[in-house]
């Protein structure tokens, strides 16, 4: 069963137009794909999932530090998108909207975890056995020594990011690892631009202090 088969069409959905090929959907912008889905084309939602599944998983995983839980949260993100896409303001960027949903779920996860020491301990313990976790974005053309150094550096970066306070970690991940603009971060985190820049500056300084002893 694929991602779109786990959802059901809203009862007031319009009749589906002529089916388009995957290649035709891939050539469309996000807003056009959203419109196709709202017009009743189921395959369009699968295209949105294809575009954002891995990107959101990387973002949420870096925020909550638990890959299995991140997968659950990304799934919940797509469920909410599916249910509420008809409410989406199409004058806005779809990427900002879906990241906002994922960000709010990740923040709720961190808040709930902080109130439950048992959940926190279980998460930490599970990550003790996760050093076999595959590294995304590996370049198979790299020499073994270079690949080892890249993996080691990535592990240090992930460790340092996980030590940042929640509100600093979120803006740091969005800016430095996801490449979001300050304006997008402000919208996703529902804070003003000045606060975003201030938090990001403190996050960068904090990150530098944390990672410096690791790379000496």
């Amino acid at each position: 069963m694929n991602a779109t088969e786990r959802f059901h069409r809203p009862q007031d959905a319009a009749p589906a137009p002529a089916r388009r090929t995957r290649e035709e959907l891939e050539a469309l912008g996000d807003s056009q794909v959203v419109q196709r889905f709202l017009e009743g084309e189921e395959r369009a939602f699968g295209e949105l999932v294809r575009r954002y599944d891995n990107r959101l998983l990387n973002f949420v995983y870096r925020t909550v530090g638990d890959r299995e839980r991140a997968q659950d949260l990304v799934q919940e993100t797509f469920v909410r998108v599916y249910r509420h896409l008809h409410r989406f303001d199409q004058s806005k960027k779809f990427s900002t909207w879906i990241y906002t949903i994922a960000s709010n779920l990740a923040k709720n996860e961190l808040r709930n975890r902080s109130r439950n020491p048992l959940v926190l301990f279980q998460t930490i313990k599970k990550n003790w056995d996760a050093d076999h976790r595959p590294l995304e974005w590996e370049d198979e053309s790299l020499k073994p020594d270079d690949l080892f150094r890249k993996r080691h550096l990535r592990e240090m970066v992930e460790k340092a990011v996980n030590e940042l306070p929640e509100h600093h970690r979120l803006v740091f991940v969005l800016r430095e690892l996801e490449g979001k603009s300050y304006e997008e971060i402000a919208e996703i985190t529902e804070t003003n631009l000045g606060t975003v820049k201030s938090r990001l500056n403190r996050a960068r300084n904090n990150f530098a202090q944390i990672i410096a002893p690791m790379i000496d």
Side-chain angles (χ1 to χ4, degrees):
M1 179 180 294
N2 60 37
T4 58
E5 289 173 340
R6 290 193 290 267
F7 304 98
H8 302 284
R9 284 295 309 159
Q11 292 182 354
D12 57 350
R19 289 171 61 85
R20 292 169 179 80
T21 66
R22 177 174 175 178
E23 290 74 18
E24 288 174 320
L25 285 172
E26 288 177 349
L28 300 177
D30 284 352
S31 60
Q32 294 172 302
V33 177
V34 168
Q35 185 59 40
R36 296 290 189 271
F37 175 71
L38 293 176
E39 291 172 354
E41 187 169 353
E42 286 285 350
R43 183 177 294 195
F45 188 79
E47 174 62 18
L48 294 174
V49 173
R50 185 191 68 80
R51 293 183 185 188
Y52 285 94
D53 193 17
N54 287 335
R55 292 163 61 182
L56 290 178
L57 179 59
N58 288 327
F59 164 58
V60 175
Y61 167 59
R62 287 165 174 159
T63 303
V64 304
D66 181 337
R67 180 164 291 275
E68 290 183 13
R69 187 63 186 132
Q71 290 172 334
D72 292 339
L73 294 174
V74 170
Q75 176 67 17
E76 176 61 23
T77 298
F78 284 119
V79 169
R80 295 190 180 195
V81 168
Y82 192 94
R83 289 175 177 170
H84 303 296
L85 196 55
H86 62 286
R87 301 179 184 172
F88 169 59
D89 181 354
Q90 294 190 60
S91 67
K92 307 291 186 180
K93 290 183 65 174
F94 175 77
S95 61
T96 300
W97 185 63
I98 195 171
Y99 266 87
T100 301
I101 295 172
S103 173
N104 287 336
L105 288 171
K107 286 189 288 186
N108 289 339
E109 169 71 15
L110 291 173
R111 279 194 290 269
N112 291 337
R113 187 185 300 173
S114 67
R115 291 194 291 264
N116 190 333
L118 177 59
V119 173
L120 177 59
F121 174 77
Q122 290 172 338
T123 300
I124 293 172
K125 185 176 181 181
K126 179 161 51 179
N127 285 341
W128 287 344
D129 299 322
D131 54 356
H132 64 282
R133 187 176 66 246
L135 176 64
E136 293 91 359
W137 307 315
E138 288 188 4
D139 184 351
E140 295 181 357
S141 67
L142 290 175
K143 296 179 180 179
D145 287 348
D146 292 334
L147 187 57
F148 174 79
R149 282 191 290 269
K150 183 178 179 181
R151 287 177 177 175
H152 183 56
L153 177 61
R154 183 176 178 83
E155 289 171 359
M156 289 189 293
V157 168
E158 290 180 349
K159 182 178 179 181
V161 168
N162 284 335
E163 292 185 25
L164 294 173
E166 174 191 336
H167 56 292
H168 288 172
R169 186 191 316 167
L170 190 58
V171 296
F172 186 89
V173 169
L174 284 169
R175 178 64 179 173
E176 304 300 341
L177 303 182
E178 296 293 328
K180 297 296 181 183
S181 69
Y182 294 120
E183 291 76 13
E184 287 177 305
I185 297 171
E187 190 168 349
I188 289 170
T189 59
E190 300 177 332
T191 54
N192 62 57
L193 203 57
T195 300
V196 167
K197 292 180 178 179
S198 175
R199 288 180 178 176
L200 183 58
N201 184 57
R202 289 197 293 270
R204 284 168 172 165
N205 290 335
N206 198 357
F207 175 81
Q209 293 175 359
I210 293 171
I211 203 169
M214 302 180 188
I215 59 179
D216 283 345

